[in-house]
Amino acid sequence: QVQLVQSGTEVKKPGASVKVSCKASGYTFTGNGIHWVRQAPGQGPEWMGWINAGNGETQYSQKFHGRLTITRDTSASTSYMELSSLRSEDTALYYCARDSRYTTNYYFDYWGQGASVSVSS
Amino acid sequence: EIVLTQSPATLSLSPGERATLSCRASQSFSGYLAWYQQKPGQAPRLLIFDTFNRATGVPARFSGSGSGTDFTLTISGLEPEDFAVYYCHQRSIWPITFGGGTKVEIK
């Protein structure tokens, strides 16, 4: 069965960087994109960016441009999300989500369990 | 960026009642809308895609409708497991965006 398993809780100080991993299993990793979505406490989800796990191409939300890097390691079936210059507003639950094609459009069908990132001095 | 505004923020209903959730887009788009359900401590779950279609395993009491800027999720006859937060979501025009959510709570 498809699973996305993320790394654990992170506590960081302002200005630091965080790197969260997302290990995929149960399907061919290079056949689907992986998106990163965060959710601040009590808020709706916020899309951050994605990576084509097949060719490694990435696309980021303009909001995070320059601070966000998404990578993947096909040999480990794992995607990574690194966010730098952290500030308190980055405190959130960070999810990875698999992209799948439904009819002619793509949607997120499987999600990781979320990784909590807390930024505080 | 398309802003999705959901209303109401909270819907207080009893089991068996009908729930009508609204999602309004800041601009019309010709693509499709999705709805996700999220329960406490869980990741979102895809319910409806392409505005109208139920994802695998989603009960028939869930239905989606709408076009342009106005979209609706209807739950006809709330079951205890339906009390949750619901988000609309679009990716027709990038960046991908989500609505702020509607919490369906037990009255």
Side-chain angles (χ1 to χ4, degrees):
Chain A
Q1 72 283 19
V2 174
Q3 278 193 303
L4 299 175
V5 179
Q6 299 184 232
S7 48
T9 298
E10 300 271 7
V11 179
K12 297 291 183 181
K13 294 205 181 302
S17 296
V18 69
K19 191 170 185 176
V20 178
S21 67
C22 170
K23 182 170 177 59
S25 61
Y27 73 99
T28 302
F29 178 69
T30 52
N32 296 72
I34 294 288
H35 291 248
W36 288 86
V37 176
R38 75 178 186 180
Q39 190 168 26
Q43 303 296 312
E46 179 179 33
W47 179 76
M48 301 178 69
W50 81 291
I51 187 165
N52 181 321
N55 62 21
E57 290 184 354
T58 56
Q59 191 168 2
Y60 303 125
S61 168
Q62 195 68 24
K63 177 175 179 176
F64 301 99
H65 232 79
R67 293 205 298 142
L68 176 63
T69 304
I70 298 173
T71 57
R72 98 290 191 216
D73 178 348
T74 57
S75 66
S77 297
T78 300
S79 175
Y80 302 92
M81 184 282 301
E82 185 169 18
L83 190 62
S84 62
S85 303
L86 290 169
R87 31 212 191 224
S88 59
E89 311 88 88
D90 294 319
T91 293
L93 198 56
Y94 288 73
Y95 290 104
C96 59
R98 189 183 80 156
D99 220 9
S100 281
R101 184 169 176 160
Y102 285 70
T103 62
T104 58
N105 299 297
Y106 289 81
Y107 298 96
F108 309 140
D109 62 347
Y110 286 91
W111 297 63
Q113 83 276 19
S116 176
V117 175
S118 179
V119 183
S120 173
S121 55
Chain B
E1 170 175 325
I2 291 184
V3 176
L4 298 175
T5 302
Q6 291 187 241
S7 62
T10 304
L11 204 48
S12 298
L13 295 168
S14 300
E17 289 193 294
R18 180 187 188 92
T20 303
L21 287 66
S22 172
C23 176
R24 177 162 288 178
S26 59
Q27 64 185 88
S28 178
F29 60 96
S30 59
Y32 295 89
L33 193 92
W35 291 91
Y36 289 84
Q37 176 193 64
Q38 188 174 33
K39 296 180 179 179
Q42 297 183 16
R45 169 199 175 199
L46 180 65
L47 283 182
I48 300 286
F49 65 94
D50 286 359
T51 305
F52 312 102
N53 298 311
R54 285 186 299 276
T56 302
V58 175
R61 62 181 180 273
F62 290 90
S63 63
S65 62
S67 65
T69 60
D70 290 296
F71 299 86
T72 300
L73 174 69
T74 301
I75 312 171
S76 59
L78 283 162
E79 296 288 339
E81 61 268 26
D82 300 337
F83 292 92
V85 181
Y86 293 84
Y87 296 100
C88 57
H89 158 76
Q90 71 80 31
R91 55 192 295 174
S92 296
I93 297 177
W94 285 48
I96 293 170
T97 52
F98 291 85
T102 291
K103 181 180 182 180
V104 179
E105 64 176 23
I106 299 176
K107 186 175 182 179

